[in-house]
């Protein structure tokens, strides 16, 4: 069968194209430059952690890692909280005002970061929010609100009305309904959105590059980018940085794969 | 088939609220007045830190503000005139960006559809391969850039090593060092980065195609290729539209990947619009960069719009 043959060839070749560079990176992070250049594809002859201690201590990636944990750790739940409140309000009200509200917030998805980053920088500087991890948290919330509201409102609208009516009949006000009905039944969509936000916030380069110029406030992607100049073509060190920077997301991916696929795809399908 | 396009609403789920009950009776619990308070925190943040800066961007764009002077000159449309007529750097970045976009949209759409077609069924091996192909999407652009810096390294890189080892030295290249080709090599990196994500969107679309269509095509004696051409392709058009639109926008946002592979600021052969705007900002040309960013936004909107028209025109069923 030509179909089965072409299927195997295409999938096989692409699997090699994805897996091989990743394996080279992991192996390479334990090698010296010489070893890497001599035999990039083979496992290291002895697994030395020297690159790791160098990267974490000397290059400040350890501090950056801590900063990224703080920024992402605050940005994701706060974005979810603010967005889910808004989505609940929008999903449970009707009429043109509700539709307008939704449209107004979701319109933000069409505005590229480059269109407002300069005034945002000026604004954040005026408020003393540049060179501040809190400033990064705030900008993360603001720029991901539109898409989070879009995803969560879409989900909440699929919930049966009876669910809310039953809560109201039981004498539950909107706030209690939010806490004891909306949040519990939304766990799957909240998780998917959380993963989506986690990936964006953890990997974001633009805003920390824009807002941060003190070395001890840098987040992981900015610190990693600065390797480029520092270590130029010391690939084992670059690779070690890549492994450290990606570790939290990769670990999460292994355990929460379903949510990753659902979240990142929901984020993509917004057209 | 143009009649189907005129009066019908798109078949997607309605976004606006529907009239709840045909008899006009309102459920008093349906919209508790306090529900209108729930969007307030989001609105306050969004208006203060997103909407107002966007409007300010428009104001900056007609000035020559440098970012730190207390005052700025009103220059009218001068910035825009310069962008369109006298700015070689902008024109270069625009050209690079369009080349980049074209390669990414074509390759990413074709590859992700091919992978999706082969992985539509939910067998164990398909599910496993899907998660492998999806994996690069979760990495940061800077990480992906560093991986591919080594792949493309002219002296020690993976591609040149492999080519050398199998005796194909004549295909060895300087890759990113070759100014004529550099942007295309970065485009292929972008495809590697996001093809898995688009594959998942295609799989979702493919799984919704009713199996009976293939069965009846088979009884009619249609070959695999004919089934793909006449059943799969038209039926998957809505997903194709989503993938192409998203990929287009993504290729204008490839800022991080360019900085990772091309340095900060990137060399001319790798400068795209988003990096150009950032450089303008870094060089304290706030007014001018703001004007560039408006042109940038309009360009993305225009391309997305044209694309949608094209997809609609070419697939009457969608």
């Amino acid at each position: 069968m030509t179909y089965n043959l072409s299927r195997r060839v295409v999938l096989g070749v692409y699997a090699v194209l994805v897996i091989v560079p990743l394996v080279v990176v992991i192996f390479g992070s334990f090698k010296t430059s010489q070893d890497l250049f001599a035999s990039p594809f083979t496992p290291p002859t002895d697994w030395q952690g020297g690159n790791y201690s160098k990267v974490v201590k000397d290059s400040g990636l350890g501090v950056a890692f801590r900063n990224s944990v703080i920024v992402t750790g605050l940005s994701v739940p706060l974005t979810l909280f603010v967005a889910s409140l808004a989505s609940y309000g929008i999903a449970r009200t009707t009429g043109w005002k509700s539709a307008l509200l939704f449209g107004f917030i979701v319109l933000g998805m069409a505005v590229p970061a480059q269109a407002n980053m300069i005034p945002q920088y000026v604004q954040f500087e005026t408020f003393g929010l540049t060179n501040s991890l809190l400033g990064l948290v705030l900008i993360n919330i603001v720029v991901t609100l539109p898409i989070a509201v879009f995803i969560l409102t879409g989900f909440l609208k699929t919930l049966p009305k009876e669910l809310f009516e039953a809560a109201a009949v039981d004498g539950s006000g909107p706030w209690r309904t939010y806490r004891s009905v909306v949040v519990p039944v939304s766990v799957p969509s909240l998780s998917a959105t959380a993963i989506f936000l986690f990936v964006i916030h953890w990997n974001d380069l633009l805003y920390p590059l824009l807002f941060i110029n003190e070395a001890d406030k840098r987040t992981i992607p900015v610190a990693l980018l600065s390797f480029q100049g520092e270590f130029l073509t010391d690939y084992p060190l670059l690779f070690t940085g890549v492994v450290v920077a990606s570790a939290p997301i990769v670990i999460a991916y292994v355990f929460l794969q379903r949510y990753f696929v659902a979240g990142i795809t929901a984020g993509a399908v917004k057209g | 088939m143009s009649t189907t396009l005129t009066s019908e609403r798109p078949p997607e789920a309605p976004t606006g609220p529907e009239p709840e009950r045909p008899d006009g009776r309102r459920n008093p619990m349906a919209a508790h007045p306090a529900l209108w308070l729930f969007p307030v925190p989001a609105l306050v943040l969004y208006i203060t830190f997103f909407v107002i800066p966007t409007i300010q961007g428009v104001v900056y764009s007609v000035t020559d503000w440098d970012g730190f002077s207390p005052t700025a000159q009103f220059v009218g449309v001068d910035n825009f005139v310069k962008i369109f007529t006298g700015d070689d750097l902008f024109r270069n970045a625009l050209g690079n960006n369009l080349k980049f976009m074209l390669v990414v949209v074509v390759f990413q759409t074709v590859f992700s559809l091919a992978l999706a077609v082969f992985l539509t069924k939910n067998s164990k091996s398909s599910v496993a391969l899907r998660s492998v192909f999806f994996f690069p999407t979760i990495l940061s652009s800077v990480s992906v850039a560093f991986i591919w810096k080594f792949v493309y390294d002219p002296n020690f890189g993976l591609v040149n090593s492999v080519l050398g080892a199998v005796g194909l030295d004549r295909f060895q290249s300087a890759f990113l060092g070759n100014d004529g080709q550099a942007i295309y090599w970065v485009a292929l990196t972008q495809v590697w980065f996001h093809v898995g994500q688009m594959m998942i969107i295609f799989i979702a679309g493919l799984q919704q195609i009713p199996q009976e269509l293939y069965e009846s095509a088979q009884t009619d004696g249609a070959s695999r290729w004919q089934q793909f051409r006449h059943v799969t392709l038209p039926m998957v058009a809505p997903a194709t539209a989503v993938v192409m639109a998203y990929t287009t926008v993504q290729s204008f946002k490839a800022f991080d990947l360019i900085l990772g592979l091309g340095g900060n600021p990137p060399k001319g052969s790798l400068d795209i619009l988003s990096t150009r705007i950032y450089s303008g900002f870094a060089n304290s040309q706030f007014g001018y960069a703001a004007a560039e960013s408006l042109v940038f936004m309009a360009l993305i909107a225009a391309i997305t719009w044209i694309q949608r028209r094209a997809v609609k025109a070419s697939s009457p069923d969608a």
Side-chain angles (χ1 to χ4, degrees), chain A residues 59-238:
Chain A
S59 70
L61 204 63
V63 178
F65 195 91
R66 193 206 60 191
N67 291 340
S68 275
V69 169
I70 295 172
V71 171
T72 311
L74 289 172
S75 303
V76 172
L78 286 173
T79 310
L80 272 184
F81 178 59
V82 176
S84 64
L85 281 181
S87 303
Y88 171 51
I90 291 168
R92 294 294 303 139
T93 51
T94 53
W96 66 270
K97 274 185 270 179
S98 175
L100 181 72
L101 198 60
F102 180 70
F104 177 59
I105 295 180
V106 165
L107 193 64
M109 294 196 303
V111 179
Q114 278 73 18
N116 48 24
M117 67 181 192
I118 297 167
Q120 275 165 344
Y121 171 79
V122 175
Q123 190 183 38
F124 274 59
E125 194 163 62
T126 318
F127 292 145
L129 288 167
T130 49
N131 278 318
S132 138
L133 297 183
L134 224 57
L136 289 181
V137 172
L138 183 60
I139 196 74
N140 278 341
I141 298 174
V142 169
V143 298
T144 47
L145 249 182
I147 186 137
V149 167
F150 178 78
I151 299 174
L152 291 174
T153 306
F155 169 76
L156 287 174
K157 286 203 168 172
T158 65
L159 292 178
K161 285 192 170 55
E162 292 72 27
L163 195 68
F164 301 100
E165 284 166 2
V169 169
D170 289 347
S172 167
W175 173 244
R176 231 190 83 197
T177 307
Y178 170 80
R179 273 187 319 163
S180 52
V181 178
V182 174
V183 172
V185 300
S186 309
V187 167
S189 67
L190 285 173
S191 313
T193 314
I195 295 284
F196 173 70
L197 295 172
F198 172 45
V199 174
I200 294 187
H201 293 163
W202 183 268
N203 288 340
D204 182 49
L205 176 71
L206 178 66
Y207 293 103
L209 202 60
L210 207 58
F211 289 179
I212 305 288
N213 53 37
E214 290 169 13
D216 62 338
K217 299 270 173 57
R218 290 191 305 198
T219 56
I220 281 267
V222 184
L224 201 57
L225 189 67
S226 73
F227 273 30
Q228 208 184 30
E230 259 174 88
F231 305 123
L232 217 60
T233 51
D234 189 341
Y235 285 107
L237 279 186
L238 295 186

Side-chain angles (χ1 to χ4, degrees), chain B residues 105-305:
Chain B
V105 169
V106 170
F107 281 80
Q108 192 156 298
T109 309
V110 172
F111 285 0
S112 58
L113 179 59
L115 295 175
V117 166
F118 289 138
L119 295 176
T120 307
K121 298 229 166 62
N122 287 328
S123 68
K124 257 195 180 147
S125 61
S126 290
V127 173
L129 277 175
R130 275 182 221 162
S131 48
V132 170
F133 295 164
F134 186 81
F135 182 83
T137 302
I138 67 169
L139 298 174
S140 76
S141 310
V142 182
S143 298
V144 171
F146 285 0
I147 296 171
W148 281 78
K149 222 168 125 79
F150 184 61
V151 172
Y152 289 146
D153 189 289
N155 303 313
F156 315 108
L158 293 184
V159 184
N160 279 351
S161 310
V162 171
L163 288 174
V166 297
L168 292 169
D169 307 55
R170 65 178 181 283
F171 291 113
Q172 288 180 340
S173 162
F175 297 105
L176 303 174
N178 181 330
D179 282 348
Q181 305 173 349
I183 194 72
Y184 300 110
W185 297 117
V186 181
L188 289 185
T189 304
Q190 170 83 354
V191 172
W192 183 86
F193 192 5
H194 286 296
V195 95
Q197 188 185 7
M198 299 304 126
M199 171 194 76
I200 298 288
I201 298 174
F202 270 128
I203 289 176
L206 290 169
Q207 288 182 337
Q208 282 169 7
I209 302 177
Q211 207 51 44
E212 298 85 63
L213 291 178
Y214 291 104
E215 283 158 18
S216 62
Q218 259 167 351
T219 34
D220 292 349
S223 69
R224 283 264 189 193
W225 172 251
Q226 284 170 324
Q227 290 176 35
F228 174 77
R229 178 71 194 78
H230 298 289
V231 179
T232 310
L233 222 45
M235 292 300 285
V236 85
T240 312
V242 170
V243 166
M244 286 178 68
Y246 191 69
T247 304
T248 305
V249 175
Q250 243 179 5
S251 62
F252 283 100
K253 287 183 177 168
F255 177 79
D256 326 22
L257 194 62
I258 297 280
L259 288 196
L261 279 168
N264 181 17
K267 57 177 184 163
S269 62
L270 288 178
D271 206 13
I272 61 170
L273 292 175
S274 54
T275 50
R276 181 94 298 274
I277 294 168
Y278 185 82
S279 299
F281 164 81
N283 295 330
S284 296
Q285 301 168 314
F286 280 33
Y288 189 68
E292 284 178 320
S293 68
L294 287 181
V295 175
F296 177 65
M297 185 161 71
L299 185 75
I300 296 179
I303 291 180
T304 315
W305 184 77

Side-chain angles (χ1 to χ4, degrees), chain A residues 33-81:
Chain A
S33 285
Q34 277 168 320
D35 290 346
L36 177 71
F37 296 154
S39 52
F41 301 105
T42 55
T45 40
D46 80 300
W47 296 71
Q48 288 213 357
N51 293 328
Y52 284 88
S53 55
K54 187 168 179 197
V55 153
V56 171
K57 286 199 206 109
D58 305 348
S59 70
L61 204 63
V63 178
F65 195 91
R66 193 206 60 191
N67 291 340
S68 275
V69 169
I70 295 172
V71 171
T72 311
L74 289 172
S75 303
V76 172
L78 286 173
T79 310
L80 272 184
F81 178 59

Side-chain angles (χ1 to χ4, degrees), chain B residues 37-56:
Chain B
L37 295 176
F38 282 73
V40 169
L43 266 184
V44 170
L45 289 172
Y46 178 65
I47 291 175
T48 315
F49 298 107
F50 196 96
V51 177
I52 292 178
T54 308
I55 297 166
Q56 277 172 327

